[in-house]
Amino acid sequence: MAYIVSSKVNQFRYSTRLLFSHLLRHGRPSTLLPPFSSHLQPLHHPHQVGNQGYGNGSLGLCPRLLSSSSSSDASAANVSGEKPALDSDQSAKDGSGKERESGSGGGQDQKSDAGKSVRGGPVSWLSFLLLVLTGAGLVFYYDREKKRHIEGIRTNTEAVKQGPSAGKAAIGGPFCLINHHGKHVTEKDFMGKWTLLYFGFTHCPDICPEELQKLAAAVDKIKEKAGIETVPVFISVDPERDTVEQVGEYVKEFHPKLIGLTGSPDEVKNVARAYRVYYMKTAEEDSDYLVDHSIVIYLMSPEMEFVKFFGKNNDVDSLADGVIKEVTQHKK
Amino acid sequence: MSGAQLQSASPALTIQGSQKNVGSVAVATAAESKPKKKICCACPDTKRLRDECIVEHGESACTKWIEAHRLCLRAEGFNV
């Protein structure tokens, strides 16, 4: 019984030792099975032969069998080379030692696996992360610069537009006057059509008639050239003498479409200030006084916003062409 | 421009002639006291500068041009 038990224990020890030794040496699961299977067969046969032949000399017989197998084959020689090492291990350590060895072996395997994962993962992961961050950063920076550039262009455009806008805001505004038919009109009555405004007075001996004739001719020429309807308007800056009847008789002489406006001194003063028209009565004693006033023709948009002014130096053609150009540009 | 000036000049001359005739018929002193030119035609340079300035910048910002034109009108004999 003791002999049988000891022999079994020896067999277990041999198999365990072989397994762990292979694991440690090769370190690869894929390569463990073939050498293990090749080693097991010769081990079993010597043990059986040894057990049957000699009861007490089992340990002594093992070396002998190994040596005999080495003499027979080269691969067997390798096996024999390994076995003496196993024997020495067995003689040096006890059961607890074997357990420690197995435990440490498992730990080593785990450590090696962990080490591999630590080494490989962070490098590739960090590289990918840096690449993504760099790419995102470049895209963000480019997009921001592009938006800034576009905003710059828009700002410049708006800056250019602000000029005319400021001019439009400065000239124009509400007014309440009386037309040559005796009806009260405001700036809203002229919305929806292009309007040409002229400020003068009916007793004007020279410039006013010429300017109004130019205005009337331009209205007809604009319609003939571009088919654009414009409304000519005459606003008096001489409210004391220019009554509704006086203005009515005056505008008839120039153009059937010419609208004459007049009003009280305060109303005329307000409209002149709003439309930046200067007028001043000469200090004559009698009623035959003259009025010094700006000689300008204003082009107002259908929204009654100031678009452009034409001075005395413009003739009929330049006035008509200028109006057509502004109207065409405004429609675009 | 020259044509326009000629056209503008001829009516002025005509009107001046007619006024002179009326003056001679009425009182010589009254005719002499009246200015020879019309206020609208007088001082075209300062008038143009004043008008353009007022349109672009407003009356309050064009005081010097207004005053310059007034001085010119006074020099021409207008009572302003």
Side-chain angles (χ1 to χ4, degrees), chain A residues 274-294:
Chain A
Y275 286 78
R276 287 188 170 178
V277 171
Y278 173 83
Y279 72 102
M280 177 183 64
K281 192 169 67 174
T282 57
E284 298 289 350
E285 293 181 357
D286 55 6
S287 64
D288 187 18
Y289 59 86
L290 297 172
V291 178
D292 179 27
H293 61 86
S294 304

Side-chain angles (χ1 to χ4, degrees), chain A residues 8-18 90 95 98:
Chain A
K8 289 183 178 180
V9 168
N10 288 334
Q11 289 179 358
F12 177 75
R13 288 178 179 176
Y14 283 128
S15 64
T16 305
R17 184 174 294 178
L18 285 171
Q90 183 179 5
K98 290 181 180 179

Side-chain angles (χ1 to χ4, degrees), chain A residues 171 204-207 210 276 278 280 282-284 288 290-296 298 309 312-313, chain B residues 1 8 15 38-41 47 50-52 54-59 66 69-70 73 78-80:
Chain A
I171 295 179
C204 185
D206 299 308
I207 299 298
E210 292 177 5
R276 287 188 170 178
Y278 173 83
M280 177 183 64
T282 57
E284 298 289 350
D288 187 18
L290 297 172
V291 178
D292 179 27
H293 61 86
S294 304
I295 301 178
V296 290
Y298 287 143
F309 84 94
K312 177 183 171 184
N313 57 342
Chain B
M1 291 301 294
S8 64
I15 294 173
K38 299 305 174 184
I39 197 167
C40 298
C41 302
K47 186 177 186 62
R50 183 197 66 179
D51 293 346
E52 291 181 358
I54 292 174
V55 168
E56 293 178 359
H57 305 290
E59 185 171 340
I66 295 171
H69 187 61
R70 287 180 63 184
L73 290 178
F78 293 97
N79 187 8
V80 295

